[in-house]
Amino acid sequence: MGQHGCLGVSMNGPAAPPVGLSLGITGHRASNQAFAANHHRIEATLGQIFDLVDAASAGATAPVRLHCLLAEGADHLAARGAKMRGWDLVAPLPFGRNLNIAINALPHNVVDAQALLAGNDAADDATQMRARTIQELTASAHCFQLSERDGLLARLYIEKLTCPSDLVAAQAFAVRCSARVALAGRILIEQSDIVIGIWDGVSRAFIGGTGHTISEALEHGAPVVWIDANTPENWSILRAPEALAGGVAPDAAGREAELLTLVSAALHVEGEDGSVALADERWKAGSSRWWTAYRRVETLFGGQGRRFRALAQYYETPDAIAGGSGAAVMAAAKSLPGYDPDVADRTARDILARFAWADGISARLSDYYRGGMTVNFILSALAVVLGILYQPIGAADQKWIFASAEFLLLSTILLITWLGGRWRWHGRWFETRRVAEYLRHAPILIQLGVARSPGRWPKGGDVNWPEHHVRHALRAIGLPQVAITPAYLRHALRHLLGPHVVSQRDYHIAKARRLTAVHHNLDRFSTRLFQCAVLSVAAYLMLKGAAAAGLVPEGWPHAASYAFTFLGVAFPTFGAAIAGIRYFGDFERFAAISEVTAAKLDGIGSRIELLLAA
């Protein structure tokens, strides 16, 4: 897989990631009757589709990338077409390299199979010719080998060849083999924008087969270009699993335009590309002390630590994170058996650094927006209270002073609101937070070949650039060139995934407790203020009643009326402001989300421990 750009981090922000199209190919083997009968027509149609894709992606900043399993037949046609056009060829192999060659070369006897498994030549010329073709394509591809079950599969394969008439042995191998192919197909789908399927339309029941892979691609939201192996010229585009039920004739006139639209949608984001805005964000080393009101509320009412401690935050710079908070993850990634050094280096340079930038920008924007809104709630209450404060202190002649103070506070509220809208604090905060959260777990998932399927990327209301930005940042790295062995998986579980799951679980447990306390304490404080308001009004009414009954001088209620009026306004006003902050912060809902997340992570952690103990 070629090097197609890098992050280029500076304090001016990350450059937009290289943008390229990722295709997946699934299709019949050469032995399929329809494929064999129409081989040349299928090849011509596939070439036509490849040419359309090549022309539509001419403006991309990275070459087209083709994913295939390198099985004999459709995969070989596609792989040769990709190499001829200068595309990147990536192979998520369902087995290790030698086992993949041994199975797909179709040896007729145990001796040739064992020779191929050992990396040697087969004695049979036809078998060796097939093996050499696979070897050449494998050597030219970027291979991600799912080899952790090779020992079992190799034994079952040899048992099957040793006893060709043993149906139990054949079935045992077929079931295991199909599961591995289906897993590799799942990875192909996750890594592709569009899947091309060469299928006769007969069956989707065979796990790992072409029909099954096409069905899975549609379930995961990947559009499928279906080339019918019986009539390849009548290719069509499928967008949903229900389309496999048939009854929809291919639109020969519009399908080319539809394919171009699919390519364009994968390469370009609708509306303004926020990658430019992200790069233009002004980096600041730390938070501003003037915009910490929201975090101060959490500190005051969360019941953890010193309530009036300094709240300054210092953001980890993109060029420091790989040696700072990301050092443990990168050390674990680089200690994986047979790890891909290029992918590890690019993960640190392009993913961690991009995460640090988005995370720091988002944290600052969060302070601006949430801190500004919190200040507005407090200022609105102060404005009301200051507006009538002249009454209880007997300063009616200086009412203009209090009116001026009220005017200043109200103007400040309008100014903060205007600044928030003018500079899009809320929108920019959410957008950059989406970028950061998509990237938070990426350094681990990349090493395991895990990606989000095309249809699993959320679409925002009118802003989709964060998903587009991150998807291409991750696609630029793609699958590592590694062999996934038991030792690789065990190391990843123990040193990559396990510690990450535990740290995230503990973070969400602490967050849930803190936000729950904030919610209850704000609610209690607001209730107490309203109770004080009721008591102040009740006290005035009791005083008035006592005066009417002659228990106290008649002038007392009048003399105290301004003070009681002030208290009757001040208490509910501040109570409403506190309730507004509680409602705005939505602490209870976010606490519940963290509780659910912590529970799910705890379950994953338990499963990891069981696997490591097995």
Side-chain angles (χ1 to χ4, degrees), residues 340-392:
D340 185 334
D342 176 57
V343 166
D345 290 342
R346 295 183 69 192
T347 298
R349 186 178 67 245
D350 296 357
I351 302 303
L352 277 178
R354 200 180 297 275
F355 165 76
W357 182 272
D359 192 52
I361 297 296
S362 180
R364 178 168 55 83
L365 290 170
S366 170
D367 273 0
Y368 286 171
Y369 174 70
R370 298 196 294 183
M373 288 294 292
T374 302
V375 167
N376 277 355
F377 279 112
I378 300 300
L379 292 183
S380 64
L382 285 174
V384 173
V385 170
L386 281 177
I388 63 170
L389 182 59
Y390 69 91
Q391 291 183 346

Side-chain angles (χ1 to χ4, degrees), residues 280-352:
D280 288 343
E281 289 282 1
R282 184 180 176 186
W283 178 267
K284 293 187 177 181
S287 59
S288 169
R289 62 178 179 174
W290 302 109
W291 298 96
T292 59
Y294 179 86
R295 289 192 286 118
R296 179 61 68 189
V297 168
E298 285 196 8
T299 304
L300 289 172
F301 294 93
Q304 298 177 350
R306 294 180 293 111
R307 297 186 176 186
F308 295 97
R309 64 183 182 272
L311 296 180
Q313 291 180 323
Y314 297 96
Y315 309 133
E316 195 169 25
T317 59
D319 56 357
I321 187 172
S325 63
V329 170
M330 293 315 304
K334 291 181 178 181
S335 62
L336 288 165
Y339 83 101
D340 185 334
D342 176 57
V343 166
D345 290 342
R346 295 183 69 192
T347 298
R349 186 178 67 245
D350 296 357
I351 302 303
L352 277 178

Side-chain angles (χ1 to χ4, degrees), residues 330-512:
M330 293 315 304
K334 291 181 178 181
S335 62
L336 288 165
Y339 83 101
D340 185 334
D342 176 57
V343 166
D345 290 342
R346 295 183 69 192
T347 298
R349 186 178 67 245
D350 296 357
I351 302 303
L352 277 178
R354 200 180 297 275
F355 165 76
W357 182 272
D359 192 52
I361 297 296
S362 180
R364 178 168 55 83
L365 290 170
S366 170
D367 273 0
Y368 286 171
Y369 174 70
R370 298 196 294 183
M373 288 294 292
T374 302
V375 167
N376 277 355
F377 279 112
I378 300 300
L379 292 183
S380 64
L382 285 174
V384 173
V385 170
L386 281 177
I388 63 170
L389 182 59
Y390 69 91
Q391 291 183 346
I393 65 175
D397 292 340
Q398 284 78 40
K399 179 181 177 181
W400 67 272
I401 298 176
F402 298 93
S404 298
E406 181 182 4
F407 176 80
L408 181 61
L409 293 175
L410 294 175
S411 299
T412 302
I413 292 172
L414 291 176
L415 177 62
I416 291 173
T417 304
W418 179 83
L419 287 173
R422 173 67 177 81
W423 296 106
R424 293 188 61 246
W425 288 342
H426 183 266
R428 288 161 60 206
W429 165 39
F430 266 39
E431 291 161 18
T432 52
R433 180 47 53 195
R434 279 152 64 184
V435 172
E437 293 310 315
Y438 288 135
L439 293 174
R440 183 182 298 279
H441 315 290
I444 295 171
L445 300 181
I446 286 172
Q447 312 308 319
L448 296 171
V450 177
R452 188 185 291 262
S453 301
R456 300 298 191 263
W457 287 98
K459 287 188 177 294
D462 57 352
V463 177
N464 294 308
W465 75 261
E467 288 73 25
H468 182 270
H469 180 97
V470 174
R471 183 161 58 92
H472 284 287
L474 299 178
R475 287 279 175 79
I477 295 179
L479 292 169
Q481 185 157 268
V482 297
I484 303 296
T485 63
Y488 189 101
L489 286 179
R490 179 172 291 277
H491 190 92
L493 282 173
R494 187 180 301 279
H495 300 289
L496 266 178
L497 192 56
H500 182 71
V501 167
V502 170
S503 66
Q504 288 293 300
R505 179 201 63 192
D506 293 346
Y507 164 79
H508 281 288
I509 289 174
K511 181 180 178 181

Side-chain angles (χ1 to χ4, degrees), residues 447-595:
Q447 312 308 319
L448 296 171
V450 177
R452 188 185 291 262
S453 301
R456 300 298 191 263
W457 287 98
K459 287 188 177 294
D462 57 352
V463 177
N464 294 308
W465 75 261
E467 288 73 25
H468 182 270
H469 180 97
V470 174
R471 183 161 58 92
H472 284 287
L474 299 178
R475 287 279 175 79
I477 295 179
L479 292 169
Q481 185 157 268
V482 297
I484 303 296
T485 63
Y488 189 101
L489 286 179
R490 179 172 291 277
H491 190 92
L493 282 173
R494 187 180 301 279
H495 300 289
L496 266 178
L497 192 56
H500 182 71
V501 167
V502 170
S503 66
Q504 288 293 300
R505 179 201 63 192
D506 293 346
Y507 164 79
H508 281 288
I509 289 174
K511 181 180 178 181
R513 289 173 179 169
R514 184 180 72 254
L515 295 185
T516 298
V518 173
H519 170 81
H520 288 309
N521 289 333
L522 283 174
D523 194 43
R524 187 179 298 112
F525 185 37
S526 174
T527 301
R528 293 290 183 268
L529 289 171
F530 281 110
Q531 289 172 343
C532 289
V534 171
L535 289 175
S536 67
V537 174
Y540 173 75
L541 293 175
M542 290 174 62
L543 182 62
K544 188 71 173 176
L551 299 177
V552 298
E554 292 183 2
W556 283 18
H558 178 73
S561 61
Y562 287 135
F564 279 114
T565 299
F566 175 79
L567 293 175
V569 171
F571 282 130
T573 299
F574 278 108
I578 297 300
I581 292 172
R582 180 182 63 78
Y583 178 79
F584 164 74
D586 210 0
F587 301 101
E588 186 178 36
R589 184 171 68 91
F590 285 113
I593 291 172
S594 282
E595 286 177 356

Side-chain angles (χ1 to χ4, degrees), residues 214-301:
I214 288 174
S215 178
E216 286 295 296
L218 293 171
E219 289 285 354
H220 285 84
V224 174
V225 178
W226 175 26
I227 300 174
D228 190 335
N230 295 293
T231 55
E233 296 81 9
N234 293 331
W235 59 275
S236 58
I237 296 176
L238 311 178
R239 292 179 178 268
E242 290 73 20
L244 294 173
V248 180
D251 179 10
R255 65 190 179 192
E256 291 188 8
E258 188 177 2
L259 177 59
L260 298 182
T261 300
L262 287 177
V263 174
S264 178
L267 296 177
H268 307 291
V269 64
E270 295 180 7
E272 181 181 356
D273 186 355
S275 297
V276 177
L278 179 64
D280 288 343
E281 289 282 1
R282 184 180 176 186
W283 178 267
K284 293 187 177 181
S287 59
S288 169
R289 62 178 179 174
W290 302 109
W291 298 96
T292 59
Y294 179 86
R295 289 192 286 118
R296 179 61 68 189
V297 168
E298 285 196 8
T299 304
L300 289 172
F301 294 93

